[in-house]
Amino acid sequence: MKVGVALSGGVDSAVALYLLLKEGHEVKAFHMKTKEDEFFIRKEIKKKVCCSPSDTADAMRIAHFLGVEIEIVDVKEIFREKVIEPFKSDLLKGLTPNPCVHCNRFVKFGYLMDYVLNQGFDAFASGHYARIEFSEKYGRKVIKKGVDLKKDQSYFLARIEPWRIERLIFPNGIYTKEEIRKIAEEAGIHVAKKQESQDVCFIPDGSIENFLKDEGITLKEGDLITPEGEVVGRHFGYPLYTIGQRKGFKIEKFGRRYYVRGKIPEKNVVVVSDLEDVFFSGLIAEDPVWHVEVPEEFKCVCRVRKKSEEAPAVVKLRDNEVEVRFEKKVFAVTPGQIAAFYDGDTLLGGAIIKEGIR
Ligand SMILES: Nc1ncnc2c1ncn2[C@@H]1O[C@H](COP(=O)(O)OP(=O)(O)OP(=O)(O)O)[C@@H](O)[C@H]1O
């Protein structure tokens, strides 16, 4: 088969490429540039990210070492339109967006995948820890969790378009991270010990405040209030806070532990309350994407953020929304984050959380 591989310069996609070559496929590497190089040279890189100039150099070296052609694909424009701008406007609306999920939908498994398929490739591969398997139950190919549950990245794939699953290959999904590093080491791949990407690639210093400042937005301090309207402290700009957060603000009225309960952007106010108040019995999420056919109402498990526990739930479909009711209350259901739905290991799809139900 002719396979295009998304090569980041990290160990995972290097091994994915290597495994595909070993299986005898005709392979070409594609490395995308999401931001201009100068951006990463100017910025302090506190957290390892995926798309800096040194990653491009690593990707080129890996491709050269494994003897495959590599093409550098400029995705800066679509990345700004579909990832950076929505991230910024969601923050200003008081949401907590997940840009990696949107990048996967629109850029990696959108623009880049189209670019590769349009060159005549049969399939597109990446180093994600997830599996593509045919499901007897659903009668089609589905995405399943990676066998290494510590590394499983299926959550980030919850909103990719279903037809793409038929054309995807995730060679790493049947391995653990340790096994992948060992394969890399044995193959002599120079990034075998390279650190993982840890954060949002366009915020390498990890500071939302600096990101917004670079985008021309200055944060304003404001009041921290209780649901009853009592002022108990100050916040340093509402976009910096997320539901359930209990640090990073200035408390002026002591004696209780406060958790962010919600935000009112129009009033520049952050509402704080007790821990019980940030547990939710359900949620409403919008614009669902389903990888398989689902009935009007069904049981499944739901994850409300990348590291949340899996919550057994009943899902009801309504127009372009879903209503989810959990068996047990769930901590910090956060508007803007993704609700991903699973049947065992099988990813069913995902929707964008609009509101939590208390
Ligand atoms: N700049 C890029 N160009 C091409 N593909 C990329 C790029 N960044 C990420 N990818 C693809 O997306 C996959 C997941 O990337 P992510 O950064 O989330 O995870 P990772 O586990 O650190 O992967 P890796 O070790 O390959 O960098 C990568 O394995 C790779 O296939």
Side-chain angles (χ1 to χ4, degrees):
M1 236 193 325
K2 275 184 77 175
V3 186
V5 182
L7 189 68
S8 65
V11 60
D12 296 328
S13 47
V15 171
L17 172 57
Y18 172 76
L19 292 171
L20 290 165
L21 280 174
K22 272 200 20 184
E23 279 177 24
H25 296 294
E26 190 186 322
V27 175
K28 177 174 167 184
F30 294 85
H31 175 77
M32 55 179 194
K33 303 291 283 179
T34 55
K35 295 278 290 179
E36 62 284 4
D37 282 351
E38 298 73 45
F39 169 79
F40 294 98
I41 292 161
R42 262 194 345 258
K43 283 265 164 202
E44 182 186 4
I45 302 189
K46 278 200 192 142
K47 299 200 173 169
K48 168 79 190 63
V49 293
C50 65
C51 306
S52 73
S54 70
D55 296 305
T56 307
D58 281 335
M60 292 173 83
R61 188 163 156 199
I62 293 159
H64 180 73
F65 175 71
L66 294 174
V68 303
E69 193 188 336
I70 181 165
E71 185 174 337
I72 311 293
V73 186
D74 180 352
V75 300
K76 292 198 281 288
E77 210 172 295
I78 180 108
F79 190 77
R80 172 151 283 278
E81 181 196 330
K82 296 290 190 187
V83 182
I84 299 182
E85 290 297 334
F87 181 74
K88 183 169 75 180
S89 63
D90 282 355
L91 284 174
L92 296 178
K93 281 183 209 151
L95 306 172
T96 304
N98 184 324
C100 301
V101 170
H102 302 304
C103 173
N104 279 338
R105 176 173 167 89
F106 295 110
V107 184
K108 221 179 263 174
F109 301 106
Y111 183 91
L112 182 67
M113 182 172 179
D114 289 342
Y115 183 83
V116 170
L117 297 183
N118 286 338
Q119 283 195 17
F121 286 85
D122 305 303
F124 182 60
S126 76
H128 280 88
Y129 287 83
R131 286 171 292 158
I132 304 282
E133 272 179 22
F134 183 81
S135 158
E136 293 292 342
K137 178 169 175 184
Y138 293 105
R140 54 160 298 155
K141 277 192 184 173
V142 293
I143 297 176
K144 290 192 169 180
K145 290 178 192 167
V147 295
D148 184 347
L149 292 179
K150 289 198 301 292
K151 270 298 295 179
D152 170 43
Q153 290 173 310
S154 58
Y155 175 83
F156 297 97
L157 304 169
R159 290 184 55 73
I160 68 175
E161 293 169 287
W163 70 266
R164 296 183 184 272
I165 298 171
E166 297 288 334
R167 309 285 294 268
L168 283 175
I169 307 178
F170 298 140
N172 297 10
I174 54 168
Y175 296 102
T176 63
K177 180 81 191 197
E178 291 71 37
E179 287 169 333
I180 292 292
R181 286 205 188 275
K182 195 152 171 270
I183 295 171
E185 221 166 327
E186 283 169 7
I189 293 169
H190 81 284
V191 290
K193 296 206 167 95
K194 186 167 164 178
Q195 205 193 341
E196 323 240 288
S197 355
Q198 286 174 338
D199 219 336
V200 176
C201 64
F202 55 93
I203 314 186
D205 63 0
S207 164
I208 300 264
E209 187 174 0
N210 289 345
F211 161 75
L212 288 173
K213 205 195 279 167
D214 288 350
E215 296 287 324
I217 294 152
T218 313
L219 294 176
K220 285 198 202 78
E221 274 195 32
D223 285 337
L224 273 190
I225 64 165
T226 64
E228 296 74 40
E230 186 189 4
V231 176
V232 293
R234 302 284 289 167
H235 69 76
F236 301 105
Y238 69 85
L240 303 177
Y241 303 90
T242 186
I243 308 295
Q245 187 170 333
R246 65 180 185 85
K247 286 184 180 153
F249 32 70
K250 194 159 71 190
I251 298 293
E252 287 160 352
K253 184 161 189 283
F254 297 97
R256 262 166 81 184
R257 185 171 266 178
Y258 297 104
Y259 295 81
V260 172
R261 180 192 201 273
K263 307 195 262 185
I264 312 173
E266 318 80 80
K267 296 187 177 159
N268 190 27
V269 152
V270 172
V271 185
V272 290
S273 190
D274 302 322
L275 181 60
E276 306 87 80
D277 230 14
V278 288
F279 276 85
F280 295 81
S281 61
L283 61 85
I284 306 290
E286 54 194 352
D287 194 21
V289 170
W290 298 112
H291 294 175
V292 299
E293 242 179 74
V294 288
E296 288 284 295
E297 182 173 333
F298 60 98
K299 280 189 174 174
C300 66
V301 294
C302 174
R303 269 167 75 180
V304 296
R305 80 192 134 263
K306 62 181 173 189
K307 288 205 174 118
S308 80
E309 303 226 332
E310 295 198 333
V314 174
V315 174
K316 275 190 207 160
L317 311 190
R318 323 192 298 211
D319 297 327
N320 197 32
E321 287 185 351
V322 293
E323 183 189 316
V324 180
R325 294 280 172 179
F326 305 123
E327 257 174 33
K328 271 197 236 144
K329 284 195 165 190
V330 167
F331 177 66
V333 170
T334 306
Q337 291 280 289
I338 303 303
F341 305 102
Y342 291 87
D343 171 7
D345 276 355
T346 304
L347 179 63
L348 304 176
I352 302 169
I353 298 173
K354 192 169 142 193
E355 59 181 281
I357 303 171
R358 285 202 162 76

